[in-house]
Amino acid sequence: MKVLSNKTNLQILHEDNHIIVVNKRVGDIVQGDKTGDKPLSDVVKEYIKDKYNKPGDVFLGVIHRLDRPTTGIVVFARTSKALTRMNELFSNRETKKTYWAIVKNKPVEATAKLVHFLKRNEKNNTSKAHLKEVPDSKLASLDYTIIKELQNYTALEINLHTGRHHQIRAQLSAIGSPIKGDLKYGADRSNPDGGIHLHARKLVFIHPVTKENIIITAPTPDETIWNAV
């Protein structure tokens, strides 16, 4: 992993002519939104422009997003061909995503599959997990395994089977194990940095152009609880 100057603090996990993968920090937004804050996509564009002395605008395609308070792997496309193919991989669920989460209340089972129907509330930007299908809900599925028990928290490894809005946050909250710092989903207090302890840890996919098997692992933030995991 390459860590650039403190000016951007951009952590590059993988880089080639077709894609670039970065380790997102708490608070970074992947793509521009109504806040007007500078998105990660612009930071990466500036990095590419500067590194390769590119004139004019730099092409960078946003393939997927992570919630602002989360950390971990984000993939961008450097060519339109890579963008089209990566979009297909993600939409066809041909990628394997692994997340780590720190939760307050230890789940009853050490490992389990969670299946819910998630209904999104646009007004407050949340999703509610239901055990049975309700109008306008979408099937959400994941499995988790306890990977470490800490003094006051439990670390989980999560594999997603679907990609719904706030899926991990809503489903863990539904079993009484909200993610540390996630006030929206039942945590009792926020984290000092405004983030939540949810980290996109690992991503496995077939490279859109070279067809090689790519395995990306993102280091967790350098922070006491993550370091204990």
Side-chain angles (χ1 to χ4, degrees):
M1 180 189 71
K2 292 172 284 186
V3 181
L4 300 182
S5 68
N6 289 330
K7 181 182 170 189
T8 59
N9 202 24
L10 197 62
Q11 290 187 339
I12 309 292
L13 302 173
H14 174 92
E15 181 180 2
D16 60 43
N17 292 332
H18 310 283
I19 58 173
I20 184 166
V21 186
V22 301
N23 192 5
K24 185 181 106 56
R25 303 169 302 171
V26 164
D28 287 341
I29 48 170
V30 174
Q31 195 173 24
D33 64 5
K34 61 188 176 187
T35 64
D37 294 342
K38 187 173 186 175
L40 192 55
S41 55
D42 280 4
V43 176
V44 176
K45 278 183 183 179
E46 287 174 5
Y47 159 76
I48 293 170
K49 188 179 178 73
D50 189 48
K51 180 175 178 179
Y52 300 102
N53 293 315
K54 283 188 173 286
D57 288 338
V58 170
F59 177 89
L60 192 76
V62 176
I63 299 161
H64 65 124
R65 296 165 187 79
L66 283 183
D67 297 340
R68 190 163 191 168
T70 65
T71 57
I73 295 169
V74 179
V75 186
F76 296 99
R78 292 190 56 193
T79 63
S80 56
K81 181 164 77 169
L83 177 61
T84 301
R85 291 183 180 176
M86 287 301 294
N87 280 339
E88 288 172 358
L89 287 179
F90 273 80
S91 63
N92 295 335
R93 314 299 302 167
E94 292 173 31
T95 60
K96 188 172 188 295
K97 300 178 190 173
T98 303
Y99 289 77
W100 280 5
I102 307 287
V103 298
K104 177 66 176 171
N105 303 317
K106 179 183 169 185
V108 175
E109 297 177 83
T111 183
K113 181 178 182 180
L114 302 183
V115 178
H116 292 94
F117 291 89
L118 293 194
K119 183 168 183 176
R120 185 169 180 174
N121 183 332
E122 299 282 357
K123 286 184 179 177
N124 61 11
N125 192 34
T126 59
S127 287
K128 183 170 176 57
H130 300 267
L131 289 174
K132 294 183 178 179
E133 190 170 6
V134 298
D136 301 319
S137 65
K138 293 180 178 178
L139 180 69
S141 170
L142 62 79
D143 58 61
Y144 74 82
T145 301
I146 292 175
I147 53 175
K148 190 157 188 181
E149 290 183 41
L150 307 169
Q151 192 171 358
N152 297 307
Y153 301 96
T154 303
L156 308 179
E157 183 167 280
I158 296 141
N159 288 304
L160 280 179
H161 308 306
T162 55
R164 306 303 184 197
H165 175 258
H166 290 184
Q167 178 179 337
I168 296 173
R169 300 166 66 179
Q171 287 196 272
L172 291 180
S173 175
I175 63 166
S177 300
I179 294 168
K180 182 180 183 301
D182 199 357
L183 293 177
K184 263 188 176 179
Y185 289 94
D188 51 5
R189 65 179 70 132
S190 60
N191 289 336
D193 62 5
I196 64 175
H197 277 71
L198 178 63
H199 181 70
R201 172 68 174 171
K202 189 176 179 183
L203 182 67
V204 181
F205 60 95
I206 302 298
H207 193 283
V209 179
T210 67
K211 303 303 179 188
E212 63 184 309
N213 194 41
I214 303 291
I215 302 172
I216 310 281
T217 303
T220 53
D222 184 13
E223 179 255 9
T224 306
I225 291 182
W226 277 128
N227 291 342
V229 179

